Amino acid sequence: MKIKKLLCLVVFYGFARYLPASTSPMTRWARKIRRSICRHIFDKCGDNVNVESGACFATGGGICLGSGSGLGVNCSVHGPLKIGDNVMMGPDVTILTHTHNIERTDIPMGKQGMREAEVIIGNDVWIGMRVIIMPGVKVGDGAVIGAGAVVTKDVPAFAIVGGVPAKVIKYRK
């Protein structure tokens, strides 16, 4: 890991993560501080991104955040993760990209190791509060994921989904 990235991680998790949320004009400075730090942490970081207070993203490796997109208050995300442009994310969102292997029954699940599956989120997506997105899911452009949904399967473009597990409720078009 590069020294610059390591220092940025220390500054983010030791200081910037605890700055106030950028919900009012008085705290926009916190948004700018977190944005400037995260540019050196993520694999790709677009223009005018918003990483909110309490965000957790491990080392930031494998994360690509598109222009105009944000990580919500107290979110938890891990790479490999690609987030398109203009993606809105509510508070307490969790995006999982790792899971346990469970195929074998002759070995305890905890000893079978882990696997990763990239999550891809398209452009102009709205992810509601406390959504959980499971490993390997692809969310199409223009989709809306309702608050509290657990997304276990791919979401088509312009779909509005909700529930546990998330199902298509209707389409925006």
Side-chain angles (χ1 to χ4, degrees):
M1 187 180 305
K2 295 180 185 178
I3 297 294
K4 186 174 188 179
K5 181 175 179 174
L6 181 60
L7 288 173
C8 287
L9 282 165
V10 168
V11 171
F12 182 84
Y13 285 112
F15 166 72
R17 180 175 191 235
Y18 302 102
L19 294 174
S22 60
T23 53
S24 74
M26 297 297 291
T27 57
R28 294 218 175 144
W29 54 273
R31 173 190 274 197
K32 291 179 182 178
I33 290 171
R34 285 190 291 265
R35 177 187 309 142
S36 64
I37 293 168
C38 288
R39 287 195 182 289
H40 304 288
I41 295 174
F42 299 148
D43 288 1
K44 178 185 173 239
C45 188
D47 296 326
N48 199 29
V49 301
N50 181 27
V51 177
E52 278 293 355
S53 176
C56 181
F57 43 76
T59 65
I63 296 176
C64 298
L65 185 59
S67 295
S69 293
L71 299 180
V73 172
N74 296 325
C75 75
S76 178
V77 301
H78 302 277
L81 170 63
K82 290 182 183 166
I83 298 176
D85 296 335
N86 303 306
V87 172
M88 298 185 295
M89 184 182 296
D92 301 314
V93 169
T94 300
I95 300 176
L96 303 169
T97 57
H98 292 79
T99 188
H100 290 278
N101 291 322
I102 60 169
E103 289 76 24
R104 296 185 58 184
T105 56
D106 60 325
I107 299 174
M109 289 181 278
K111 294 182 179 181
Q112 291 186 43
M114 302 283 288
R115 63 186 158 158
E116 67 178 29
E118 180 179 50
V119 171
I120 300 172
I121 298 171
N123 299 315
D124 192 30
V125 171
W126 180 11
I127 304 170
M129 179 180 203
R130 293 194 178 127
V131 166
I132 299 172
I133 299 176
M134 300 303 286
V137 168
K138 293 179 180 151
V139 178
D141 293 344
V144 176
I145 303 173
V150 177
V151 183
T152 59
K153 297 179 181 175
D154 292 353
V155 176
F158 301 103
I160 299 173
V161 301
V164 180
K167 292 181 170 52
V168 174
I169 297 168
K170 65 180 184 177
Y171 286 88
R172 290 179 58 207
K173 287 188 168 187

